[in-house]
Amino acid sequence: MSSTNQFENRFETHLDDDLALLTETLEEVLKSSGDPADQKYIELKMKAEKALEEVKNRVSQASDSYYYRAKQVAYQADDYVHEKPWQGIGIGAAAGLFVGLLLARR
């Protein structure tokens, strides 16, 4: 289960880093371009800021949703293995055998 948590943490970190980079880049572009007195520039800037905020919210909601689903799947797998340990061992062995055969073919 710790590998699931590590994956979730890495995924969130990469997503957060990408979003932060996008935010910084867009903010730099908005600050450095255009004449602040130009009405078209003001409208474009407001539209870009609104779009950025919407993207932040959607990404946050999506990452929360994926995190919740991954956590539920991990708990279900954990419960299954606790209820039926020998079947869990068999499934793990079969998966290992299958992966081993695929790697051996290369």
Side-chain angles (χ1 to χ4, degrees), residues 17-34:
D17 291 345
D18 291 345
L19 188 57
L21 178 63
L22 176 64
T23 302
E24 290 171 12
T25 305
L26 184 56
E27 286 173 352
E28 281 182 39
V29 168
L30 290 174
K31 286 179 186 174
S32 67
S33 64

